[in-house]
Amino acid sequence: MKVSLNWLKDYLDINLNSEETSELLTAIGLEVEGMEEIESIKGGLKGILIGQVKECGKHPNADKLSLTKVDVGAEEDLQIVCGAPNVAAGQKVVVATIGTVLYDAEGREFKIKKGKIRGEVSEGMICAEDELALGNDHSGIIVLPEEAKIGMAASEYFKIENDVVYDIGLTPNRSDATSHLGIAKDLAAALKINHSHDGRVNVPDVSAFKVDNHSLPIEIVVENEEACPRYTGVMIKGVKVGESPDWLKIRLNAIGVRPINNIVDITNFVLHELGQPLHAFDADKIAGAKVIVKTLPENSIFKTLDEVERKLGSTDLMICDGESKGMCIAGVFGGINSGVTEETTNIFLESAHFNAKWVRKTSMKYNLRTDAAMCFEKGSDPNITLYALKRAALLFQELAGGEIASEVIDFYPNKIEKRQITVRYDRINRLIGTDIAVSEVKNILTALEMNTLKEDAESLTIDIPTNKVDVIREVDVIEEILRIYGFNKVPISDQLKSTIVIGAKPDIHKLKNTISNFLSASGFSEIMAVSLTESKYFNEILPIPSERLVYVNNTSNSHLDVMRPTMLFSGLEAIVHNQNRQNADLRLYEYGKTYEKTEDGYREQTHYSLFITGAKASESWLEHDKAQVDYYTLKAYVQNVLERLGYMRYQQSAVQNDTFAFGLKYHRGPKELVTFGMVKKSILRQMEVKKPVYYASFHWDNLLQGLKKHKVEFKELTKYPSVRRDLALVIDNSVNFQDIAEVAQKTGKSILKEVNLFDVYENKEQLGENKKSYAVSFIFEDPTKTLKDKEVEKIMSKLIETYEGKLGAVIRR
């Protein structure tokens, strides 16, 4: 939210500078994320002076130009060539001197230089309104009153004031701080308590409001009182739509709101002044002189101001005319056919209080994040609608003319009363951490417009202004007291207390960092995705029964409506994001959780996921083959991670399911350690991933359970040589290397250290149908002695016998 310092000063009788205001805003709990000094007119009219035309004659070489002498208070008069038709001797004018920087309508700068125009020297420029951004008139130069002082800076004459604008990080609970007046009231309270200010706030007076006639009666019907607890409206006749005055445009421009016309600008001004959204309708376009607040049938078509046709839902509150045709999405966005145009002369002004949940749901659904919607979402003040309406109506009459042409209709069947809360003094002091005098507590509450209803020695009961929708408990009141009392006034203890904590083994965070460091050193990048994802992934791409999904009511981002049951799509989204930015060679990892609904409740599991895609190595003059990552690239990383955690032995099973085209699962009994493989092409195609992706999901909880039973043992390096033997086995295609390795481990027992597949050969003519040849090496080693050939040959003979008997292998000799 943007807040203007000059705007705040309109309400406070104190001259605060930018730094003081920033410190005060921070002190009352409003985070100042940025501060910018802005010029109400670009360039601030620097180098522009008030002058008087001493001489004015025709240019000798151009009939439409004048040659003038202008006194700007310098030692010598300036000779200026001027093309304005209204320039004349004796006039007081505005002069841009040499070196002055001006800006054209597109914001491009140009510098005034001494030069010749049609052969005559020109030492400046006599300016028109539009050349100084003081207006839009370019029919002639600005002619000032006779009393204008020669040599005075134009910025001083036109009272050009610079402003400071703060970017406030407004939290969702601070509905009372959505307006300049709301913030000014908080500042006044803090100034009164801590800086001897009188605490007075100059609230705009609306006592002049009156109904002029009843020539434009209007009927208001509210059919949905839950969505619209209060609706206030009035008709204004005979307005003239036009440009807003400078002061209004300056206020709006300062906070980044583009001025449109006097009617729209007034509604925007009141929104940012009071925190009450308003809407102005062209009254002549309201069929039947009747306004109905209701919902329309599902899938009704409504064309909004941005000329987009939207299908409405049954929970979208609408402002309709007497024929039940939509004119506006309530509290969110106006319609294309009911808004104010240059031809508008009669206005229906709406000031309403809409239910925050209804507005937020609609706003998020259509991604219409308007200032009005965000104000309603935080919770607008239901008891300010009438005041805001009168404030705007008076501004309409002042800036656009017109007369109040109907009674004010105020639909408010169930008045929202101020909440009453009892606050205990001892609890105030206990939670804040210091003793605050009872009198000071009362002063703070009074400054915050919280009136005392009853009190005793231990507590007091107060009422809460209806603009503070988040103050619902005693602790919330104490937070308000602390904001105004001052966080910095709470003493910090000079004692340091500590507790010795013996951490559980294994240290989860240490293990996580160990694996993260290993992967990062291996060229992986860590991603941190949100745990929320889109249910459409599990309806359309990777089907998961709806009863297993954990749905959430996410009003902020309605498309993220489930907690992720798998880490897969988080990684694929990151891959798509990168590939669309010409970064297709990726190694990614993520540590996070998955969520699933079960018969007993909910299951939350921790996972480590790996994703690889693209080239194996970065582009280099040394690498010419441009090899791509594959299944075995991922398998190596998976085995290295397990080895790093101390897992040397585990079982494996082939995997082919809805996620993987092919892959493996490493497990110990029923406990899954990791599943990895190549992601199905159908999933990648629907996610618009262009290259193959290989994905691994480590079941971190199961890995940790295994580590609790695992003891690290240290062994000295053997001083005895190892022995290698090779075998070539012809086997069926159905036999895999894991079968060969398992037989070898059981047979070789303690002295077999390594089994490796170093060649695969396939030839139907030489080996036969559905046959293949594996060349396998075996490394034997005894840590206590040098192995003899007889010992090794004995084991090899047993291995050959087992391979021939169990696996149907034929040994190639």
Side-chain angles (χ1 to χ4, degrees), residues 32-43:
V32 179
E33 297 178 340
M35 182 173 69
E36 179 187 7
E37 185 169 347
I38 63 171
E39 298 168 326
S40 55
I41 291 180
K42 196 168 185 180

Side-chain angles (χ1 to χ4, degrees), residues 220-233 276-277 281 291-295 315-320 328-331 348 350-359 376 380-382 385 409-416:
I220 295 175
V221 177
V222 177
E223 293 186 4
N224 192 325
E225 295 180 17
E226 177 196 352
C228 181
R230 187 176 189 183
Y231 193 92
T232 312
Q276 172 59 48
F281 298 87
V291 173
I292 307 173
V293 184
K294 60 185 292 187
T295 54
T315 58
D316 296 326
L317 187 68
M318 298 294 295
I319 310 300
C320 302
C328 174
I329 303 176
F348 171 68
E350 165 196 282
S351 179
H353 172 65
F354 298 116
N355 185 299
K357 292 180 181 178
W358 283 69
V359 171
F376 280 125
S380 65
D381 184 356
T385 62
I409 299 177
D410 189 13
F411 175 86
Y412 198 12
N414 302 301
K415 185 176 181 181
I416 299 173

Side-chain angles (χ1 to χ4, degrees), residues 493-502:
S493 174
D494 56 2
Q495 291 182 329
L496 180 64
K497 298 179 181 180
S498 64
T499 303
I500 297 174
V501 178
I502 299 175

Side-chain angles (χ1 to χ4, degrees), residues 442-454:
K442 291 180 181 179
N443 288 338
I444 291 172
L445 294 173
T446 301
L448 288 169
E449 298 181 343
M450 298 181 183
N451 303 310
T452 301
L453 304 177
K454 61 180 179 179

Side-chain angles (χ1 to χ4, degrees), residues 149-337:
K149 186 178 178 182
I150 295 172
M152 176 185 282
S155 58
E156 182 182 352
Y157 178 83
F158 290 107
K159 297 180 181 178
I160 302 301
E161 57 178 15
N162 291 339
D163 199 356
V164 175
V165 175
Y166 303 93
D167 277 315
I168 303 295
L170 199 59
T171 51
N173 63 313
R174 290 304 305 276
S175 59
D176 59 321
T178 56
S179 66
H180 282 76
L181 188 59
I183 293 173
K185 287 183 176 181
D186 255 12
L187 288 174
L191 288 167
K192 180 178 181 179
I193 299 303
N194 300 309
H195 299 279
S196 303
H197 185 264
D198 61 10
R200 188 164 61 88
V201 178
N202 300 319
V203 178
D205 182 18
V206 297
S207 59
F209 177 88
K210 65 181 179 65
V211 176
D212 296 309
N213 57 62
H214 300 85
S215 57
L216 286 178
I218 186 75
E219 181 184 358
I220 295 175
V221 177
V222 177
E223 293 186 4
N224 192 325
E225 295 180 17
E226 177 196 352
C228 181
R230 187 176 189 183
Y231 193 92
T232 312
V234 73
M235 296 288 263
I236 304 172
K237 181 180 180 181
V239 299
K240 184 177 181 180
V241 178
E243 186 179 355
S244 295
D246 290 342
W247 69 265
L248 180 53
K249 290 189 291 184
I250 287 169
R251 285 286 180 265
L252 294 178
N253 277 320
I255 59 171
V257 177
R258 181 175 64 87
I260 297 173
N261 58 53
N262 50 1
I263 303 300
V264 176
D265 293 350
I266 288 169
T267 61
N268 284 330
F269 176 80
V270 174
L271 165 62
H272 291 280
E273 178 183 54
L274 304 179
Q276 172 59 48
L278 305 172
H279 194 85
F281 298 87
D282 188 325
D284 296 328
K285 297 176 183 177
I286 302 176
K290 184 178 182 180
V291 173
I292 307 173
V293 184
K294 60 185 292 187
T295 54
L296 293 175
E298 188 82 21
N299 295 324
S300 297
I301 301 298
F302 179 66
K303 195 171 186 179
T304 46
L305 270 174
D306 53 2
E307 299 187 358
V308 174
E309 287 190 347
R310 291 180 162 86
K311 282 187 178 181
L312 300 175
S314 59
T315 58
D316 296 326
L317 187 68
M318 298 294 295
I319 310 300
C320 302
D321 62 17
E323 297 175 353
S324 292
K325 292 179 180 178
M327 299 190 296
C328 174
I329 303 176
V332 178
F333 209 45
I336 191 71
N337 298 317

Side-chain angles (χ1 to χ4, degrees), residues 522-524 575 583-588 610-619 623 625-637 662 677-679 681 684 689-696:
S522 301
F524 280 77
I575 289 170
N583 184 23
D585 304 327
L586 299 166
R587 287 171 170 78
L588 307 173
L610 309 185
F611 299 86
I612 61 172
T613 184
K616 271 188 178 180
S618 58
E619 191 175 31
E623 300 288 341
D625 57 355
K626 296 183 180 179
Q628 301 291 297
V629 296
D630 55 24
Y631 168 77
Y632 296 100
T633 310
L634 179 64
K635 185 177 180 181
Y637 286 124
F662 59 85
M678 178 181 178
V679 179
K681 291 182 179 179
L684 300 181
V689 178
K690 299 173 183 177
K691 291 186 177 182
V693 174
Y694 301 90
Y695 161 57

